[in-house]
Amino acid sequence: QTGTEPASLIAQARSGAGCLLHLAGEFDRADAHFTQVESLGDQNDLDALMGRIEITRGVTAYYRGDYALALDRIERGLARCSAAGDLQGVAEALLEKPSCLFHLHRRADALRLIPVAVQEIESAGDRRRLARALTNFGMLFAWVDDPATAGKLLARALQLGIEMGDVDISARARVR
């Protein structure tokens, strides 16, 4: 930093570093970067970026088993991304939210949200995220003993994986 960079660039760089640390499983270090970004974001109208950070923090809480905190952060991130018109951020939040609800024993809420989530994720245009969502959601339906719905979602995820040539997605959908 030279002190002349726009705050938005600094926020994006710190957010990127936080995301990389998150992917590496360095959750505490990632959170420290995200905390630094919060002060910049609140001052510089970076709602989409701040929303995505909240979603990432929600995913971290989910991995740690704190499903209530995860849901809270994902919902805050969803609200910020929605307000900013960030369709990809909205899609990411909707990919994660049903699993949080499910683990909080709000299974009916999770299952009601899934069709809406699929529609929104599909509208965002990210086929890889859609395939991940269909696989995750298919598993939720399998866990509540609805093999017909689970099978439809997993078959669609498998088909998307095949169309994209994504062996990982195809394998996950097929194995489950």
Side-chain angles (χ1 to χ4, degrees):
Q1 294 177 5
T2 64
T4 61
E5 295 87 358
S8 62
L9 289 178
I10 295 168
Q12 289 173 355
R14 288 204 181 274
S15 174
C19 287
L20 290 173
L21 289 166
H22 179 267
L23 289 172
E26 303 251 357
F27 300 130
D28 292 332
R29 288 181 61 206
D31 203 51
H33 279 274
F34 294 146
T35 299
Q36 291 174 343
V37 174
E38 281 181 332
S39 64
L40 295 168
D42 289 339
Q43 298 167 11
N44 291 284
D45 194 30
L46 299 172
D47 276 342
L49 177 63
M50 298 309 299
R52 287 184 185 223
I53 287 172
E54 276 300 320
I55 295 163
T56 302
R57 285 177 143 175
V59 171
T60 299
Y62 179 88
Y63 289 157
R64 290 181 167 170
D66 190 342
Y67 305 119
L69 179 60
L71 181 61
D72 179 61
R73 286 186 165 169
I74 287 168
E75 286 180 334
R76 281 190 281 157
L78 174 60
R80 286 188 98 157
C81 287
S82 183
D86 178 7
L87 297 179
Q88 296 302 322
V90 168
E92 187 62 28
L94 291 174
L95 167 63
E96 304 296 345
K97 186 175 177 179
S99 294
C100 291
L101 291 167
F102 194 84
H103 283 288
L104 289 168
H105 306 286
R106 293 174 53 190
R107 294 185 172 135
D109 292 336
L111 298 178
R112 272 193 301 276
L113 178 60
I114 288 172
V116 173
V118 168
Q119 183 178 8
E120 290 293 322
I121 294 167
E122 200 162 22
S123 295
D126 183 342
R127 294 176 58 177
R128 185 161 276 104
R129 182 178 286 128
L130 177 60
R132 278 181 42 220
L134 292 169
T135 301
N136 291 353
F137 300 162
M139 292 308 302
L140 294 179
F141 275 102
W143 288 333
V144 297
D145 202 24
D146 184 346
T149 303
K152 288 177 188 173
L153 292 170
L154 292 169
R156 187 163 173 219
L158 176 62
Q159 185 60 40
L160 276 171
I162 291 169
E163 288 171 10
M164 293 184 299
D166 191 318
V167 176
D168 184 53
I169 289 173
S170 299
R172 286 175 195 251
R174 187 175 188 126
V175 169
R176 294 180 178 201

